[in-house]
Amino acid sequence: MELGMIGLGRMGGNMAMRLMKKGHRVVVYDPVTKTVEELVKQGATGASSIAGLVSQLAAPRIVWVMVPAGEPAENVISNLTKSLSPGDTIIDGGNSNYKDSMRRASNAKRKDIFFLDAGTSGGIWGLKEGYCLMVGGDKKAFKQAEPIFQSLATAKDKGYGYVGPSGAGHFVKMVHNGTEY
């Protein structure tokens, strides 16, 4: 499978690496050019903008966003929605507020774009150990992206799950964070 990854910090970069190790084609973008260059050396395809990333993916596209919650996520998702086409999917793997995820899903749906909110746990150990993914949103989009979740998870048959409609993934992650901390 192929996907785009926007946000190549410690978790986003490691997730891109794990996906490549599992055989996925990953197109990467981050405003820090050096980070993109480092992942290109590891086998990723680099992009210099969100539109450039989208243009390098075949439809229907899947783009994973791994940027901080709040204004950074809002800006990236807004810009991404303008570049995508009907049938494409956005996955927000950051720690966004579940109410923001519900609103973003509604906005994306008006353009016939799917939006999945994927609460992601695993930190810097995720590259080696795998991630725990709590995914909310459209069930059809979840099934289409499931090979990605299986590759990121701790095992093909565990460590990820569909937890309900839009907002549910980030809601479950919020409860997870509260329990953990």
Side-chain angles (χ1 to χ4, degrees):
M1 241 181 136
E2 72 171 13
L3 73 148
M5 178 71 73
I6 298 174
L8 305 174
R10 292 194 73 152
M11 280 188 68
N14 281 349
M15 291 169 77
M17 289 290 297
R18 186 170 174 91
L19 288 163
M20 289 186 297
K21 287 180 180 185
K22 299 281 184 161
H24 298 275
R25 177 177 178 263
V26 184
V27 180
V28 297
Y29 169 70
D30 192 280
V32 179
T33 308
K34 183 178 178 182
T35 308
V36 173
E37 292 168 355
E38 289 299 318
L39 278 167
V40 168
K41 289 178 188 174
Q42 300 296 321
T45 301
S48 59
S49 67
I50 291 173
L53 177 140
V54 170
S55 73
Q56 295 184 66
L57 296 169
R61 299 165 194 86
I62 298 175
V63 180
W64 192 297
V65 177
M66 206 64 193
V67 300
E71 191 174 337
E74 193 68 38
N75 291 338
V76 168
I77 292 167
S78 176
N79 287 331
L80 187 55
T81 302
K82 294 172 189 171
S83 297
L84 293 175
S85 302
D88 292 345
T89 301
I90 299 168
I91 303 172
D92 178 5
N95 277 327
S96 291
N97 183 293
Y98 74 95
K99 292 179 183 178
D100 289 338
S101 297
M102 293 168 69
R103 177 181 47 77
R104 291 174 183 146
S106 179
N107 291 342
K109 188 174 184 174
R110 285 196 280 276
K111 295 186 172 197
D112 293 322
I113 296 170
F114 297 107
F115 182 90
L116 297 173
D117 52 291
T120 305
S121 182
I124 60 172
W125 304 277
L127 174 59
K128 180 181 176 193
E129 304 295 330
Y131 298 88
C132 178
L133 304 161
M134 302 142 264
V135 186
D138 183 271
K139 186 83 178 221
K140 177 183 171 186
F142 170 81
K143 290 306 248 177
Q144 181 184 8
E146 193 167 20
I148 296 166
F149 303 132
Q150 290 172 334
S151 294
L152 287 170
T154 55
K156 189 173 182 177
D157 61 345
K158 63 181 179 180
Y160 77 98
Y162 176 78
V163 297
S166 296
H170 283 142
F171 185 87
V172 172
K173 177 62 161 109
M174 176 183 68
V175 172
H176 163 86
N177 285 349
T179 303
E180 183 177 31
Y181 300 119

Short mmCIF file of all heavy atoms in Angstrom, two decimals, residues 40-99:
data_model
loop_
_atom_site.label_atom_id
_atom_site.label_comp_id
_atom_site.label_asym_id
_atom_site.label_seq_id
_atom_site.Cartn_x
_atom_site.Cartn_y
_atom_site.Cartn_z
N VAL A 40 14.09 10.21 3.14
CA VAL A 40 14.33 9.86 1.74
C VAL A 40 15.54 8.93 1.65
O VAL A 40 15.52 7.93 0.91
CB VAL A 40 14.50 11.12 0.86
CG1 VAL A 40 15.04 10.77 -0.52
CG2 VAL A 40 13.16 11.85 0.73
N LYS A 41 16.57 9.18 2.45
CA LYS A 41 17.74 8.31 2.48
C LYS A 41 17.38 6.89 2.94
O LYS A 41 18.06 5.93 2.58
CB LYS A 41 18.81 8.88 3.42
CG LYS A 41 19.51 10.11 2.91
CD LYS A 41 20.50 10.63 3.93
CE LYS A 41 21.06 11.98 3.53
NZ LYS A 41 21.93 12.54 4.60
N GLN A 42 16.30 6.78 3.70
CA GLN A 42 15.85 5.49 4.22
C GLN A 42 14.86 4.80 3.28
O GLN A 42 14.38 3.71 3.58
CB GLN A 42 15.22 5.67 5.61
CG GLN A 42 16.15 6.25 6.64
CD GLN A 42 17.33 5.35 6.94
OE1 GLN A 42 17.21 4.14 7.01
NE2 GLN A 42 18.50 5.94 7.10
N GLY A 43 14.48 5.49 2.19
CA GLY A 43 13.59 4.86 1.21
C GLY A 43 12.26 5.54 0.98
O GLY A 43 11.48 5.11 0.13
N ALA A 44 11.98 6.60 1.72
CA ALA A 44 10.72 7.33 1.51
C ALA A 44 10.82 8.17 0.24
O ALA A 44 11.90 8.45 -0.27
CB ALA A 44 10.43 8.24 2.71
N THR A 45 9.67 8.61 -0.24
CA THR A 45 9.61 9.57 -1.33
C THR A 45 9.33 10.92 -0.69
O THR A 45 8.38 11.05 0.08
CB THR A 45 8.47 9.21 -2.31
OG1 THR A 45 8.72 7.90 -2.84
CG2 THR A 45 8.39 10.20 -3.46
N GLY A 46 10.13 11.91 -0.99
CA GLY A 46 10.00 13.21 -0.35
C GLY A 46 9.09 14.15 -1.11
O GLY A 46 8.94 14.05 -2.33
N ALA A 47 8.49 15.07 -0.38
CA ALA A 47 7.66 16.13 -0.95
C ALA A 47 8.04 17.44 -0.28
O ALA A 47 8.42 17.46 0.90
CB ALA A 47 6.18 15.84 -0.73
N SER A 48 7.92 18.53 -1.02
CA SER A 48 8.29 19.84 -0.48
C SER A 48 7.07 20.66 -0.07
O SER A 48 7.22 21.80 0.35
CB SER A 48 9.13 20.61 -1.50
OG SER A 48 8.40 20.78 -2.70
N SER A 49 5.88 20.08 -0.20
CA SER A 49 4.65 20.77 0.21
C SER A 49 3.53 19.74 0.37
O SER A 49 3.67 18.58 -0.08
CB SER A 49 4.23 21.79 -0.85
OG SER A 49 3.85 21.13 -2.05
N ILE A 50 2.45 20.16 0.97
CA ILE A 50 1.29 19.28 1.11
C ILE A 50 0.75 18.93 -0.27
O ILE A 50 0.48 17.76 -0.57
CB ILE A 50 0.21 19.93 2.00
CG1 ILE A 50 0.71 19.98 3.45
CG2 ILE A 50 -1.11 19.16 1.91
CD1 ILE A 50 -0.17 20.73 4.41
N ALA A 51 0.60 19.93 -1.14
CA ALA A 51 0.10 19.67 -2.50
C ALA A 51 1.04 18.73 -3.25
O ALA A 51 0.60 17.84 -3.99
CB ALA A 51 -0.08 20.98 -3.26
N GLY A 52 2.34 18.89 -3.05
CA GLY A 52 3.32 18.01 -3.68
C GLY A 52 3.20 16.58 -3.20
O GLY A 52 3.35 15.64 -3.98
N LEU A 53 2.95 16.41 -1.93
CA LEU A 53 2.74 15.08 -1.37
C LEU A 53 1.51 14.44 -2.01
O LEU A 53 1.57 13.31 -2.51
CB LEU A 53 2.57 15.16 0.15
CG LEU A 53 2.28 13.86 0.88
CD1 LEU A 53 3.06 13.79 2.19
CD2 LEU A 53 0.80 13.71 1.16
N VAL A 54 0.40 15.17 -2.05
CA VAL A 54 -0.85 14.65 -2.61
C VAL A 54 -0.65 14.25 -4.07
O VAL A 54 -1.13 13.20 -4.51
CB VAL A 54 -1.99 15.67 -2.44
CG1 VAL A 54 -3.23 15.26 -3.23
CG2 VAL A 54 -2.34 15.83 -0.95
N SER A 55 0.08 15.06 -4.82
CA SER A 55 0.26 14.80 -6.26
C SER A 55 1.06 13.52 -6.53
O SER A 55 0.99 12.97 -7.63
CB SER A 55 0.93 15.99 -6.94
OG SER A 55 2.30 16.06 -6.60
N GLN A 56 1.80 13.04 -5.54
CA GLN A 56 2.62 11.84 -5.72
C GLN A 56 1.92 10.55 -5.28
O GLN A 56 2.52 9.47 -5.32
CB GLN A 56 3.93 11.99 -4.96
CG GLN A 56 4.81 13.10 -5.50
CD GLN A 56 6.13 13.15 -4.80
OE1 GLN A 56 6.94 12.23 -4.91
NE2 GLN A 56 6.36 14.23 -4.06
N LEU A 57 0.66 10.67 -4.88
CA LEU A 57 -0.10 9.50 -4.44
C LEU A 57 -1.20 9.18 -5.45
O LEU A 57 -1.83 10.09 -5.99
CB LEU A 57 -0.74 9.77 -3.07
CG LEU A 57 0.21 9.99 -1.90
CD1 LEU A 57 -0.56 10.51 -0.68
CD2 LEU A 57 0.95 8.71 -1.56
N ALA A 58 -1.44 7.90 -5.66
CA ALA A 58 -2.52 7.47 -6.55
C ALA A 58 -3.84 7.48 -5.78
O ALA A 58 -3.88 7.17 -4.59
CB ALA A 58 -2.23 6.07 -7.07
N ALA A 59 -4.91 7.83 -6.47
CA ALA A 59 -6.24 7.83 -5.86
C ALA A 59 -6.74 6.39 -5.72
O ALA A 59 -6.41 5.55 -6.55
CB ALA A 59 -7.19 8.66 -6.70
N PRO A 60 -7.52 6.11 -4.71
CA PRO A 60 -7.85 6.98 -3.59
C PRO A 60 -6.67 7.09 -2.62
O PRO A 60 -6.05 6.10 -2.27
CB PRO A 60 -9.04 6.29 -2.93
CG PRO A 60 -8.88 4.84 -3.27
CD PRO A 60 -8.18 4.79 -4.60
N ARG A 61 -6.37 8.30 -2.23
CA ARG A 61 -5.22 8.60 -1.40
C ARG A 61 -5.54 8.43 0.08
O ARG A 61 -6.65 8.69 0.51
CB ARG A 61 -4.76 10.04 -1.64
CG ARG A 61 -4.33 10.32 -3.05
CD ARG A 61 -4.26 11.84 -3.28
NE ARG A 61 -4.17 12.14 -4.68
CZ ARG A 61 -5.23 12.27 -5.50
NH1 ARG A 61 -6.45 12.15 -5.04
NH2 ARG A 61 -5.05 12.53 -6.77
N ILE A 62 -4.50 8.07 0.83
CA ILE A 62 -4.57 8.05 2.29
C ILE A 62 -3.41 8.89 2.79
O ILE A 62 -2.26 8.65 2.40
CB ILE A 62 -4.48 6.62 2.86
CG1 ILE A 62 -5.66 5.77 2.37
CG2 ILE A 62 -4.42 6.66 4.39
CD1 ILE A 62 -5.60 4.31 2.79
N VAL A 63 -3.71 9.88 3.62
CA VAL A 63 -2.67 10.74 4.17
C VAL A 63 -2.81 10.75 5.70
O VAL A 63 -3.86 11.10 6.23
CB VAL A 63 -2.74 12.18 3.61
CG1 VAL A 63 -1.62 13.03 4.21
CG2 VAL A 63 -2.68 12.18 2.10
N TRP A 64 -1.73 10.36 6.36
CA TRP A 64 -1.68 10.33 7.82
C TRP A 64 -1.04 11.63 8.29
O TRP A 64 0.04 12.00 7.85
CB TRP A 64 -0.83 9.14 8.27
CG TRP A 64 -0.94 8.84 9.74
CD1 TRP A 64 -0.56 9.65 10.77
CD2 TRP A 64 -1.45 7.65 10.32
NE1 TRP A 64 -0.81 9.03 11.96
CE2 TRP A 64 -1.35 7.80 11.72
CE3 TRP A 64 -1.97 6.47 9.79
CZ2 TRP A 64 -1.76 6.80 12.60
CZ3 TRP A 64 -2.37 5.49 10.68
CH2 TRP A 64 -2.27 5.65 12.06
N VAL A 65 -1.71 12.31 9.22
CA VAL A 65 -1.22 13.57 9.78
C VAL A 65 -0.75 13.30 11.21
O VAL A 65 -1.50 12.80 12.05
CB VAL A 65 -2.34 14.64 9.77
CG1 VAL A 65 -1.86 15.93 10.43
CG2 VAL A 65 -2.82 14.90 8.35
N MET A 66 0.51 13.64 11.47
CA MET A 66 1.10 13.39 12.79
C MET A 66 1.74 14.69 13.28
O MET A 66 2.97 14.81 13.37
CB MET A 66 2.13 12.26 12.67
CG MET A 66 2.35 11.50 13.92
SD MET A 66 0.87 10.64 14.42
CE MET A 66 1.35 10.19 16.08
N VAL A 67 0.90 15.68 13.54
CA VAL A 67 1.36 16.99 14.01
C VAL A 67 0.69 17.31 15.34
O VAL A 67 -0.32 16.71 15.68
CB VAL A 67 1.09 18.10 12.96
CG1 VAL A 67 1.80 17.80 11.65
CG2 VAL A 67 -0.39 18.29 12.72
N PRO A 68 1.23 18.25 16.10
CA PRO A 68 0.63 18.59 17.39
C PRO A 68 -0.83 19.02 17.26
O PRO A 68 -1.24 19.65 16.28
CB PRO A 68 1.50 19.74 17.90
CG PRO A 68 2.82 19.54 17.21
CD PRO A 68 2.47 19.01 15.86
N ALA A 69 -1.59 18.70 18.31
CA ALA A 69 -3.00 19.08 18.37
C ALA A 69 -3.14 20.59 18.38
O ALA A 69 -2.19 21.33 18.66
CB ALA A 69 -3.64 18.48 19.61
N GLY A 70 -4.34 21.06 18.07
CA GLY A 70 -4.62 22.49 18.10
C GLY A 70 -4.38 23.13 16.75
O GLY A 70 -4.68 22.55 15.70
N GLU A 71 -3.81 24.33 16.76
CA GLU A 71 -3.61 25.10 15.54
C GLU A 71 -2.77 24.38 14.48
O GLU A 71 -3.12 24.41 13.30
CB GLU A 71 -3.01 26.46 15.86
CG GLU A 71 -3.02 27.41 14.68
CD GLU A 71 -2.55 28.80 15.04
OE1 GLU A 71 -2.62 29.19 16.22
OE2 GLU A 71 -2.10 29.50 14.12
N PRO A 72 -1.66 23.71 14.86
CA PRO A 72 -0.90 23.00 13.83
C PRO A 72 -1.74 21.96 13.09
O PRO A 72 -1.73 21.90 11.86
CB PRO A 72 0.26 22.36 14.60
CG PRO A 72 0.43 23.23 15.80
CD PRO A 72 -0.97 23.66 16.16
N ALA A 73 -2.48 21.13 13.83
CA ALA A 73 -3.33 20.12 13.19
C ALA A 73 -4.42 20.77 12.37
O ALA A 73 -4.72 20.35 11.24
CB ALA A 73 -3.93 19.19 14.25
N GLU A 74 -5.02 21.82 12.91
CA GLU A 74 -6.09 22.53 12.19
C GLU A 74 -5.59 23.04 10.84
O GLU A 74 -6.25 22.86 9.81
CB GLU A 74 -6.60 23.69 13.05
CG GLU A 74 -7.90 24.29 12.57
CD GLU A 74 -9.09 23.36 12.73
OE1 GLU A 74 -9.18 22.64 13.74
OE2 GLU A 74 -9.94 23.36 11.82
N ASN A 75 -4.43 23.67 10.83
CA ASN A 75 -3.88 24.23 9.59
C ASN A 75 -3.55 23.15 8.57
O ASN A 75 -3.89 23.28 7.40
CB ASN A 75 -2.64 25.08 9.89
CG ASN A 75 -2.98 26.36 10.63
OD1 ASN A 75 -4.10 26.84 10.59
ND2 ASN A 75 -1.99 26.90 11.33
N VAL A 76 -2.88 22.09 9.02
CA VAL A 76 -2.50 21.03 8.09
C VAL A 76 -3.73 20.34 7.52
O VAL A 76 -3.83 20.12 6.31
CB VAL A 76 -1.56 20.00 8.78
CG1 VAL A 76 -1.40 18.74 7.93
CG2 VAL A 76 -0.21 20.62 9.05
N ILE A 77 -4.69 20.00 8.37
CA ILE A 77 -5.89 19.30 7.90
C ILE A 77 -6.71 20.18 6.97
O ILE A 77 -7.22 19.73 5.95
CB ILE A 77 -6.70 18.76 9.09
CG1 ILE A 77 -5.90 17.64 9.77
CG2 ILE A 77 -8.08 18.27 8.66
CD1 ILE A 77 -6.42 17.21 11.12
N SER A 78 -6.80 21.47 7.28
CA SER A 78 -7.51 22.40 6.40
C SER A 78 -6.85 22.48 5.03
O SER A 78 -7.51 22.39 4.00
CB SER A 78 -7.56 23.79 7.05
OG SER A 78 -8.15 24.72 6.18
N ASN A 79 -5.52 22.62 5.01
CA ASN A 79 -4.79 22.68 3.74
C ASN A 79 -4.88 21.36 2.98
O ASN A 79 -5.02 21.34 1.76
CB ASN A 79 -3.33 23.05 3.97
CG ASN A 79 -3.17 24.51 4.34
OD1 ASN A 79 -3.96 25.34 3.94
ND2 ASN A 79 -2.14 24.82 5.11
N LEU A 80 -4.81 20.27 3.70
CA LEU A 80 -4.88 18.95 3.08
C LEU A 80 -6.25 18.72 2.45
O LEU A 80 -6.35 18.22 1.32
CB LEU A 80 -4.59 17.89 4.14
CG LEU A 80 -4.46 16.45 3.69
CD1 LEU A 80 -3.41 16.30 2.61
CD2 LEU A 80 -4.13 15.57 4.89
N THR A 81 -7.30 19.12 3.13
CA THR A 81 -8.65 18.96 2.61
C THR A 81 -8.82 19.69 1.28
O THR A 81 -9.52 19.21 0.38
CB THR A 81 -9.69 19.46 3.64
OG1 THR A 81 -9.51 18.72 4.85
CG2 THR A 81 -11.11 19.24 3.16
N LYS A 82 -8.15 20.82 1.12
CA LYS A 82 -8.22 21.57 -0.14
C LYS A 82 -7.52 20.85 -1.28
O LYS A 82 -7.85 21.06 -2.44
CB LYS A 82 -7.62 22.97 0.05
CG LYS A 82 -8.38 23.85 0.99
CD LYS A 82 -7.63 25.14 1.28
CE LYS A 82 -8.32 25.91 2.40
NZ LYS A 82 -7.50 27.04 2.85
N SER A 83 -6.53 20.01 -0.97
CA SER A 83 -5.74 19.33 -1.99
C SER A 83 -6.27 17.95 -2.37
O SER A 83 -5.92 17.43 -3.42
CB SER A 83 -4.29 19.18 -1.52
OG SER A 83 -3.69 20.44 -1.33
N LEU A 84 -7.07 17.35 -1.49
CA LEU A 84 -7.54 15.99 -1.73
C LEU A 84 -8.80 15.96 -2.59
O LEU A 84 -9.44 16.99 -2.81
CB LEU A 84 -7.79 15.28 -0.40
CG LEU A 84 -6.55 15.00 0.43
CD1 LEU A 84 -6.93 14.39 1.78
CD2 LEU A 84 -5.59 14.08 -0.31
N SER A 85 -9.16 14.78 -3.04
CA SER A 85 -10.31 14.56 -3.91
C SER A 85 -11.34 13.66 -3.23
O SER A 85 -11.01 12.95 -2.27
CB SER A 85 -9.86 13.88 -5.21
OG SER A 85 -8.89 14.65 -5.87
N PRO A 86 -12.57 13.64 -3.73
CA PRO A 86 -13.57 12.72 -3.17
C PRO A 86 -13.05 11.28 -3.16
O PRO A 86 -12.39 10.84 -4.11
CB PRO A 86 -14.75 12.87 -4.13
CG PRO A 86 -14.63 14.28 -4.64
CD PRO A 86 -13.14 14.49 -4.77
N GLY A 87 -13.30 10.60 -2.05
CA GLY A 87 -12.86 9.22 -1.89
C GLY A 87 -11.52 9.08 -1.18
O GLY A 87 -11.15 7.98 -0.77
N ASP A 88 -10.79 10.18 -1.02
CA ASP A 88 -9.51 10.15 -0.30
C ASP A 88 -9.77 10.13 1.21
O ASP A 88 -10.87 10.44 1.66
CB ASP A 88 -8.66 11.38 -0.65
CG ASP A 88 -8.17 11.36 -2.10
OD1 ASP A 88 -8.24 10.31 -2.76
OD2 ASP A 88 -7.73 12.44 -2.57
N THR A 89 -8.74 9.78 1.97
CA THR A 89 -8.87 9.65 3.43
C THR A 89 -7.76 10.42 4.14
O THR A 89 -6.59 10.31 3.78
CB THR A 89 -8.80 8.17 3.86
OG1 THR A 89 -9.86 7.45 3.22
CG2 THR A 89 -8.93 8.02 5.37
N ILE A 90 -8.15 11.15 5.18
CA ILE A 90 -7.22 11.79 6.11
C ILE A 90 -7.27 10.99 7.41
O ILE A 90 -8.36 10.70 7.91
CB ILE A 90 -7.63 13.25 6.41
CG1 ILE A 90 -7.62 14.10 5.15
CG2 ILE A 90 -6.73 13.85 7.49
CD1 ILE A 90 -8.27 15.47 5.32
N ILE A 91 -6.10 10.68 7.95
CA ILE A 91 -6.01 10.05 9.27
C ILE A 91 -5.26 11.02 10.18
O ILE A 91 -4.11 11.37 9.89
CB ILE A 91 -5.26 8.70 9.21
CG1 ILE A 91 -5.94 7.75 8.24
CG2 ILE A 91 -5.18 8.09 10.62
CD1 ILE A 91 -5.17 6.47 7.97
N ASP A 92 -5.90 11.45 11.25
CA ASP A 92 -5.24 12.31 12.24
C ASP A 92 -4.79 11.41 13.38
O ASP A 92 -5.59 10.91 14.15
CB ASP A 92 -6.20 13.39 12.74
CG ASP A 92 -5.58 14.29 13.81
OD1 ASP A 92 -4.37 14.14 14.12
OD2 ASP A 92 -6.30 15.15 14.35
N GLY A 93 -3.46 11.19 13.47
CA GLY A 93 -2.91 10.34 14.50
C GLY A 93 -2.38 11.08 15.71
O GLY A 93 -1.82 10.47 16.61
N GLY A 94 -2.56 12.38 15.75
CA GLY A 94 -2.10 13.18 16.89
C GLY A 94 -3.06 13.10 18.05
O GLY A 94 -4.00 12.30 18.07
N ASN A 95 -2.85 13.94 19.04
CA ASN A 95 -3.69 13.97 20.23
C ASN A 95 -4.77 15.04 20.15
O ASN A 95 -4.99 15.80 21.09
CB ASN A 95 -2.83 14.19 21.48
CG ASN A 95 -2.23 12.90 21.99
OD1 ASN A 95 -2.82 11.84 21.87
ND2 ASN A 95 -1.04 13.00 22.54
N SER A 96 -5.44 15.12 19.03
CA SER A 96 -6.50 16.12 18.86
C SER A 96 -7.65 15.86 19.82
O SER A 96 -7.92 14.72 20.22
CB SER A 96 -7.03 16.10 17.43
OG SER A 96 -6.06 16.58 16.54
N ASN A 97 -8.35 16.93 20.17
CA ASN A 97 -9.56 16.83 20.97
C ASN A 97 -10.62 16.11 20.14
O ASN A 97 -10.81 16.41 18.96
CB ASN A 97 -10.03 18.23 21.36
CG ASN A 97 -11.24 18.20 22.26
OD1 ASN A 97 -12.33 17.81 21.85
ND2 ASN A 97 -11.06 18.64 23.49
N TYR A 98 -11.32 15.18 20.75
CA TYR A 98 -12.32 14.39 20.02
C TYR A 98 -13.41 15.26 19.40
O TYR A 98 -13.95 14.93 18.34
CB TYR A 98 -12.91 13.29 20.91
CG TYR A 98 -13.88 13.77 21.96
CD1 TYR A 98 -15.25 13.76 21.73
CD2 TYR A 98 -13.42 14.23 23.19
CE1 TYR A 98 -16.14 14.20 22.70
CE2 TYR A 98 -14.29 14.67 24.17
CZ TYR A 98 -15.66 14.66 23.91
OH TYR A 98 -16.53 15.09 24.87
N LYS A 99 -13.73 16.39 20.03
CA LYS A 99 -14.75 17.28 19.45
C LYS A 99 -14.22 17.92 18.17
O LYS A 99 -14.97 18.12 17.21
CB LYS A 99 -15.16 18.35 20.46
CG LYS A 99 -15.94 17.77 21.63
CD LYS A 99 -16.31 18.85 22.62
CE LYS A 99 -17.03 18.24 23.82
NZ LYS A 99 -17.36 19.25 24.82
#
